[in-house]
Amino acid sequence: MQPSQPSLFQTFRRSLLLVIQSASTELRTLIFLTLISGSSPAISLFLNKIIIDQISHSLGKFTTVSSLALILQEPLLLGSIGGLILLNLLTESINGITNFVFSSLRDRVQGFAQSIVLNKIANFTDIALFETPELLNLVQLAETGIERLKELSLLVITTFHGFFLLIPAILLSGSIAWWIPLILFTSATPAIYVELTYRKKSWEVEETQASLVRQMNLYRDVLVGEAYAKELRLFQLQPLLLNRWQSLFQIMFRSMQQIRKKGTVLVISWSMVNGLGAALPYIYVVIGALRGIYTLGNLALYAGLILQVRQSLFLLINNGSNLYDVVLGIRPIFQLLELKPKLRLSLASREDTAANLSLTPKEIAKQQGIQIKNLSFAYPGSDSKILDNINLTIQPQQMIALVGENGAGKTTLAKLLCRLYDPSSGEILWNGQDLREIDLAQLYSRLAVVMQDYARFPATVSENVGFGYLYLSALQDVNAIQEALRVAGIAKAVDNLPQGLETLLGKQLAGGVDLSQGQWQRIA
């Protein structure tokens, strides 16, 4: 079970499709609003140019007309001032709407991505996903990737905004001189390359240290979790575990700091080159204004456009480097989604399986029971065999007990009988049929299991019992649940609970009641 390695382009394309699929309406709305807000600065600069030129022209007449009357007498000046005011009001309104729509987009993307990741993990048939360190690292990175996907949504919108700022500014700045857009792009290229290079190195450090992050999270859970609260205090383990958490954090921090320091020095150096590239066009315009080639309005327009080109380039460069980082962080989501379990699914129909598993008592007496033939097993990623060439037959209606030292493989054999894993070699037969040929849903519906680390579901008593029945529809079968409680010897204790069968179990829930260890085991 090796994760795939999709390219950055494939990851980016799939990420965009996921964003579109989860929030297409919000995305279209934001692109439209961004188009308006992105083009507004260039329009404002142009209107300011007209206003400055008109005022300069009017002042040159030495008129005695009042300022207000002068504005009213000049339709172009009046229209430009009115247009600028309306544009500012429109921009402010758009900003408020954009924030509202983007919040909706971000939440939809997070909910959709988390849903498909949870669905993948919850329905992954191979339990090795939870018992293999490398796969646990992948799960950890995928969960972090969901937050990165929210960042991608913001980057997509701000990148559109940068383009809508840049395009009109480039067109107008090119009217100054053809070489101005070229020199702005050229001077920015080295800084872009250096930034992307060190983003990649930072992610490689983060990716290789996923196991450290998982260890840190384990220590965090021990320090703040209810399950460890009593022993943590009785054994006074807080200093030891806090020190271990802090040591792991320092290892990660130092590794990232080394990368950041190297990257920052180079980025600053090349950014100075970028700054000089932006300064040359500005000096060119100032000299042109002093020579009378450009009006004061042109000077204000061109100076503003040069700054706008630089700002939009900075926005796009920063977004590009952030986008690279974010796409690297999102990739584990798709690696997880593409992960294939080693547990082979049966090709047999559910009807055939049900017919084989649903037998009358007379038919059961004639069956072969469970046969284990030449079974060997090693956990994924290990060459050490936990079970080696095991043979065992369990007759119908026979009760057996497996006895052995710790680590002898008793629990492992139980997992194989439940088909949580498939044997490395050999086979397990149920009435002559290989477990690997039986539909998993049908097989699990015929199994009743109480593990030594049984689950304590944060749900009602009724649900905790009903979860173990054939189908979830049995949750409504109150009589069957009460009978199960009676047989388990826990019915009287349940009757004494505040809400009876509807009592919430678990201190994590508001109003929840906790049971003793023995009571929980009987519920299980």
Side-chain angles (χ1 to χ4, degrees):
M1 241 187 327
Q2 290 297 324
S4 62
Q5 294 295 330
S7 67
L8 290 181
F9 176 76
Q10 291 172 328
T11 303
F12 178 65
R13 180 177 58 83
R14 293 183 65 180
S15 300
L16 281 182
L17 290 175
L18 193 150
V19 171
I20 293 170
Q21 186 179 357
S22 58
S24 58
T25 301
E26 287 84 356
L27 188 60
R28 286 195 300 267
T29 303
L30 284 171
I31 291 174
F32 174 72
L33 294 173
T34 304
L35 173 61
I36 298 174
S37 62
S39 58
S40 295
I43 298 174
S44 295
L45 287 172
F46 185 74
L47 291 175
N48 272 318
K49 170 200 175 312
I50 296 174
I51 292 170
I52 292 172
D53 285 343
Q54 288 293 308
I55 291 174
S56 298
H57 179 71
S58 298
L59 289 175
K61 296 178 181 179
F62 300 101
T63 179
T64 58
V65 180
S66 66
S67 300
L68 181 60
L70 182 62
I71 293 174
L72 295 175
Q73 289 176 5
E74 298 289 343
L76 186 58
L77 178 59
L78 179 61
S80 298
I81 294 174
L84 190 61
I85 293 172
L86 290 175
L87 188 62
N88 288 334
L89 292 175
L90 178 62
T91 302
E92 290 298 321
S93 300
I94 287 177
N95 288 338
I97 298 171
T98 299
N99 291 335
F100 170 77
V101 177
F102 179 74
S103 297
S104 177
L105 178 138
R106 181 190 58 202
D107 292 343
R108 284 187 184 276
V109 169
Q110 180 183 13
F112 185 81
Q114 199 152 29
S115 175
I116 60 176
V117 168
L118 289 174
N119 182 66
K120 177 68 177 184
I121 296 173
N123 291 291
F124 198 80
T125 55
D126 201 327
I127 201 173
L129 182 65
F130 306 97
E131 299 184 349
T132 307
E134 292 78 10
L135 297 182
L136 283 172
N137 290 344
L138 181 61
V139 172
Q140 172 82 33
L141 290 171
E143 292 175 347
T144 304
I146 294 174
E147 292 300 317
R148 297 292 181 90
L149 199 58
K150 289 165 59 178
E151 293 179 38
L152 176 68
S153 304
L154 176 61
L155 287 175
V156 168
I157 300 305
T158 53
T159 300
F160 273 115
H161 184 69
F163 274 117
F164 295 146
L165 280 173
L166 180 65
I167 292 171
I170 285 289
L171 293 176
L172 289 174
S173 65
S175 65
I176 307 173
W178 63 269
W179 51 267
I180 289 180
L182 181 62
I183 196 172
L184 290 173
F185 275 111
T186 303
S187 62
T189 300
I192 297 174
Y193 176 76
V194 171
E195 181 78 16
L196 291 178
T197 299
Y198 279 90
R199 290 277 182 170
K200 182 179 180 181
K201 290 184 178 181
S202 296
W203 168 249
E204 287 173 352
V205 170
E206 185 175 344
E207 190 174 31
T208 55
Q209 293 186 343
S211 59
L212 289 182
V213 174
R214 192 162 53 82
Q215 288 182 51
M216 287 174 62
N217 290 339
L218 288 174
Y219 287 131
R220 179 201 63 197
D221 292 343
V222 172
L223 287 165
V224 303
E226 178 190 358
Y228 306 95
K230 295 185 292 294
E231 287 84 351
L232 185 71
R233 285 153 179 79
L234 290 172
F235 302 153
Q236 300 182 45
L237 300 176
Q238 301 95 323
L240 173 66
L241 297 179
L242 277 169
N243 182 62
R244 290 184 179 178
W245 185 92
Q246 290 168 347
S247 298
L248 291 172
F249 173 79
Q250 289 299 326
I251 292 173
M252 287 189 57
F253 180 76
R254 284 193 294 268
S255 299
M256 292 300 295
Q257 279 295 88
Q258 290 177 358
I259 297 295
R260 291 190 187 109
K261 285 179 181 178
K262 293 179 181 178
T264 301
V265 171
L266 286 173
V267 168
I268 290 174
S269 301
W270 286 111
S271 294
M272 293 176 67
V273 174
N274 186 21
L276 289 174
L280 290 176
Y282 183 76
I283 295 172
Y284 175 81
V285 173
V286 171
I287 293 173
L290 291 174
R291 290 179 177 178
I293 299 174
Y294 303 118
T295 65
L296 290 178
N298 286 333
L299 176 61
L301 171 64
Y302 293 155
L305 283 175
I306 291 171
L307 292 176
Q308 185 173 321
V309 168
R310 191 182 178 207
Q311 288 174 355
S312 57
L313 277 175
F314 177 79
L315 179 62
L316 291 173
I317 291 168
N318 189 57
N319 276 7
S321 58
N322 285 335
L323 188 64
Y324 187 82
D325 188 25
V326 166
V327 170
L328 284 171
I330 292 173
R331 183 160 59 180
I333 294 178
F334 299 108
Q335 290 179 298
L336 177 64
L337 295 178
E338 292 174 358
L339 195 65
K340 302 295 183 185
K342 292 183 68 175
L343 202 66
R344 182 169 58 86
L345 297 179
S346 168
L347 298 178
S349 69
R350 291 198 170 189
E351 291 76 10
D352 294 339
T353 300
N356 190 16
L357 296 178
S358 301
L359 303 171
T360 65
K362 290 183 178 180
E363 290 173 329
I364 290 175
K366 299 177 182 179
Q367 298 304 309
Q368 303 170 40
I370 298 174
Q371 294 176 297
I372 300 172
K373 295 185 176 181
N374 303 320
L375 183 143
S376 296
F377 178 76
Y379 281 101
S382 173
D383 296 327
S384 177
K385 290 184 178 180
I386 304 299
L387 300 172
D388 189 9
N389 198 32
I390 300 296
N391 289 275
L392 174 65
T393 298
I394 305 173
Q395 299 296 336
Q397 300 183 346
Q398 182 183 10
M399 181 183 293
I400 70 165
L402 297 176
V403 181
E405 296 179 350
N406 292 338
K410 304 182 295 297
T411 300
T412 299
L413 181 57
K415 291 178 181 178
L416 292 166
L417 285 169
C418 295
R419 208 188 167 208
L420 295 174
Y421 286 100
D422 280 335
S424 302
S425 62
E427 58 185 357
I428 301 174
L429 305 177
W430 182 313
N431 293 327
Q433 185 177 9
D434 195 314
L435 280 190
R436 289 169 288 196
E437 298 176 357
I438 298 176
D439 178 81
L440 272 178
Q442 290 287 343
L443 175 64
Y444 291 161
S445 71
R446 298 301 191 272
L447 295 175
V449 183
V450 180
M451 298 291 186
Q452 60 184 5
D453 53 347
Y454 52 85
R456 306 181 184 193
F457 293 104
T460 64
V461 174
S462 178
E463 289 172 332
N464 267 277
V465 177
F467 287 161
Y469 274 85
L470 297 182
Y471 303 103
L472 289 179
S473 59
L475 290 174
Q476 308 303 321
D477 192 344
V478 176
N479 292 331
I481 290 173
Q482 288 177 334
E483 176 62 15
L485 290 167
R486 186 191 64 78
V487 173
I490 192 67
K492 185 175 180 180
V494 170
D495 290 339
N496 292 329
L497 292 175
Q499 304 297 326
L501 289 176
E502 298 307 311
T503 300
L504 292 170
L505 298 182
K507 291 181 179 178
Q508 308 98 317
L509 300 174
V513 174
D514 203 7
L515 302 178
S516 69
Q517 189 81 7
Q519 289 173 327
W520 262 117
Q521 193 167 29
R522 290 180 184 274
I523 291 290

